[in-house]
Amino acid sequence: MNDTQYEPWLIRPDLEFLNHGSFGATPRCVLENQRHWQNLLEEDPIEFLAPERSLLPKLDVVRQTVAQEIHATPHDIAFVRNATEGVNAVVRSWPLQSGDEILVTNHGYNACINAVSQAADSAGASVVTANIPFPIRHPKEVVQAIEQSITPQTAWMLIDHVTSPTGIVLPVAELIELAHSNNIRVMVDGAHAPGMLPLNLDQLQPDYYTANHHKWWCGPKVSGFLSVQEDFQDEVLPPIISHGANTEGYGPSQFQSQFNWPGTFDPSPLLALPTAIDFLASLYPTDAPNRLAGLMKHNHELVVAGRRVLLEKLNLAEPAPESMLGSLATIPIPAWTNHSPAQVQAVRNSLRADHRFELPVFRFDAANVCLRISAQAYNTLEQYERLADAVAKLS
C-alpha cells in the first residue's frame, strides 16, 4: 500500500478497503470541519441549534449546495439521516388502499423492501417483485421486467438508481417515464448516485428521490436528503413528528418545517457536506459543468479495470455491460454457487483475516454467490490484482 495515497483519509494502511459502497469513507479535512461545527455548537448551544435562532440559515446553505449538485429546487429538498429513512418517510405517508400494489425489484435494498412490505401489510396492499435478470446483458431487460410486472392495481413503484447488491445503474429516466405513463407514483432510491453519477432531478422528474451524503459524496455518517415534488409534499411526514408540525418559523413550507427539526440533534454531518464535495472536486479538477466529473470518470474507469482483472483471472464472462456500471461492480463466483451459509462466511472471513480485504461476499439468489468491489480515489488497480489472486485461491 502507498501511505501517501491514504494521507487525506483515515483508512488503515494495512487494510485493502474495497467497500466504499457500504458506508463510504470520510476524508480527514471533512471530519475536521465537522468537529469545527460541533465546537461552535458547544460554545453557544441555544444560538447555534435553536431553529428560531441561527440553525435554519446554516441548513439552507447545505440545501442550496445539494440542489446545485443534483440540479433540483431547494424548496423540494428535506434532510434525512440516510436513504432508508427517506424511503420510510414516503412509503409510510403514502395513502395506500386495500388491494393496491407496490412494485419493487429483486435488486432492491433489503432495508427499503422491508419498509415497503410493512406499509403494504398495514394497508392491506401487496408487494409485487419485478425479477430483473443477473447476469444481465442490456438495460432493456430492466425495463421489460418492470413493464411486465405493472398491473391496473400498481399504485406506487420503488426503483434503485444504482442497485446495492448487484452494482448496476438502472435506466431510471425510462423507468420514471414508464411509471408516469401508467399513472404510477415512482420513488427512486438513489443511495449510491450522488458523487458516482451525474444527477439532474429537474430533467428526471421523479415523484420522490432520496440519497445518502456519506457514500460517494464522502460526507460524515448520518446525513442524506429527500426530494419530493411540490404537489406531493403535504402528504409526506418525517419519521419523527416534532415541533415543526404546528410551530411557525421552522421552515418556509410545512414540508421543510417538519423535517428541519426532529428534536435535539447534531447537524454537523450535514454542515460538513460542502467541505466534502469541495474536497472531492479538488482530486480530479475539470472545467466541465459537473465539478465531480473528473472523479466520476476516474472511479468508473478504475472499477471497470478492476473488474476486468478479476474476470480474466477467474476466466469469467462479464455479468453486466460496462455501460451499466458506475463505481461499483458485482461478480458472481461460480465455484461458490453451492456454498452453504457457513462456507460463504468462511470465504468472507478468510478474505478479511488472511488477505486483509474488506468487501461484501454474499448470496444474491439461488444461482449466484457474489463479491462486490468499489472504486474510490484511494484505491489502486494493484488492489484488485491482489484480490483476484486471493479469490482464485479460495475458488
Side-chain angles (χ1 to χ4, degrees):
M1 294 249 179
N2 181 348
D3 288 344
T4 59
Q5 161 200 349
Y6 283 91
E7 186 174 342
W9 312 82
L10 274 71
I11 298 169
R12 291 171 50 170
D14 65 337
L15 184 64
E16 305 270 19
F17 192 70
L18 300 179
N19 194 14
H20 189 91
S22 284
F23 301 138
T26 305
R28 292 179 187 274
C29 65
V30 180
L31 294 172
E32 290 167 358
N33 182 254
Q34 180 187 15
R35 187 59 192 168
H36 163 75
W37 289 113
Q38 290 173 329
N39 288 341
L40 292 178
L41 188 160
E42 297 304 332
E43 289 170 4
D44 196 351
I46 307 303
E47 177 61 31
F48 186 96
L49 194 56
E52 66 273 17
R53 298 283 189 91
S54 62
L55 174 66
L56 298 187
K58 293 190 286 285
L59 294 182
D60 286 340
V61 170
V62 182
R63 201 183 321 270
Q64 184 65 41
T65 298
V66 170
Q68 289 174 348
E69 294 295 324
I70 66 173
H71 296 276
T73 303
H75 180 82
D76 296 341
I77 295 172
F79 295 123
V80 290
R81 288 176 291 184
N82 49 57
T84 301
E85 183 174 289
V87 170
N88 270 268
V90 173
V91 75
R92 292 170 67 182
S93 302
W94 169 247
L96 283 168
Q97 303 294 321
S98 178
D100 284 347
E101 292 179 356
I102 300 178
L103 183 56
V104 299
T105 82
N106 60 323
H107 292 239
Y109 188 56
N110 181 62
C112 295
I113 302 299
N114 287 342
V116 168
S117 297
Q118 192 277 335
D121 289 345
S122 297
S126 58
V127 178
V128 174
T129 301
N131 289 305
I132 299 169
F134 189 73
I136 189 168
R137 298 182 303 276
H138 195 276
K140 67 182 180 182
E141 295 180 77
V142 177
V143 179
Q144 290 170 351
I146 291 177
E147 188 169 23
Q148 291 168 3
S149 301
I150 292 174
T151 75
Q153 287 72 46
T154 308
W156 197 84
M157 181 191 300
L158 175 65
I159 56 174
D160 295 80
H161 200 153
V162 182
T163 62
S164 180
T166 49
I168 57 176
V169 180
L170 299 190
V172 291
E174 292 179 67
L175 296 175
I176 292 168
E177 183 178 353
L178 174 64
H180 288 166
S181 69
N182 285 275
N183 198 31
I184 298 168
R185 296 267 192 102
V186 58
M187 179 166 199
V188 180
D189 177 358
H192 288 276
M196 180 193 289
L197 304 171
L199 265 180
N200 190 323
L201 296 195
D202 287 339
Q203 289 183 1
L204 288 175
Q205 289 290 300
D207 300 309
Y208 319 92
Y209 194 105
T210 189
N212 294 312
H213 298 168
H214 66 262
K215 289 185 184 286
W216 300 94
W217 269 345
C218 296
K221 311 300 181 283
V222 197
S223 177
F225 74 83
L226 170 64
S227 176
V228 178
Q229 290 288 335
E230 186 173 6
D231 290 347
F232 307 137
Q233 290 175 7
D234 288 346
E235 299 172 348
V236 180
L237 297 175
I240 298 174
I241 304 301
S242 189
H243 293 298
N246 65 353
T247 304
E248 293 185 2
Y250 277 49
S253 67
Q254 184 70 7
F255 171 64
Q256 288 189 358
S257 180
Q258 295 241 56
F259 279 87
N260 276 341
W261 185 253
T264 306
F265 77 114
D266 178 5
S268 65
L270 287 169
L271 301 180
L273 179 65
T275 296
I277 296 174
D278 288 344
F279 168 78
L280 294 177
S282 74
L283 297 178
Y284 294 89
T286 176
D287 293 329
N290 177 1
R291 59 182 176 148
L292 298 185
L295 177 64
M296 292 176 183
K297 181 176 184 291
H298 169 271
N299 289 347
H300 171 72
E301 291 176 348
L302 181 57
V303 86
V304 166
R307 188 185 73 156
R308 193 176 299 126
V309 165
L310 283 152
L311 295 177
E312 291 176 356
K313 179 74 174 184
L314 302 172
N315 195 27
L316 300 176
E318 65 175 25
E322 293 178 359
S323 61
M324 292 185 74
L325 301 182
S327 41
L328 289 173
T330 294
I331 303 173
I333 308 298
W336 300 346
T337 298
N338 296 320
H339 276 16
S340 68
Q343 288 173 309
V344 173
Q345 183 62 48
V347 169
R348 193 181 299 121
N349 291 345
S350 179
L351 284 171
R352 171 75 189 203
D354 302 330
H355 302 281
R356 302 304 297 152
F357 281 102
E358 182 61 59
L359 76 163
V361 177
F362 59 97
R363 180 173 291 283
F364 173 64
D365 57 21
N368 294 292
V369 173
C370 306
L371 60 80
R372 191 191 73 184
I373 58 173
S374 300
Q376 184 50 279
Y378 50 78
N379 293 124
T380 66
L381 187 61
E382 289 75 20
Q383 291 180 295
Y384 306 103
E385 293 170 347
R386 290 191 289 269
L387 176 63
D389 290 338
V391 172
K393 292 177 183 177
L394 292 168
S395 301

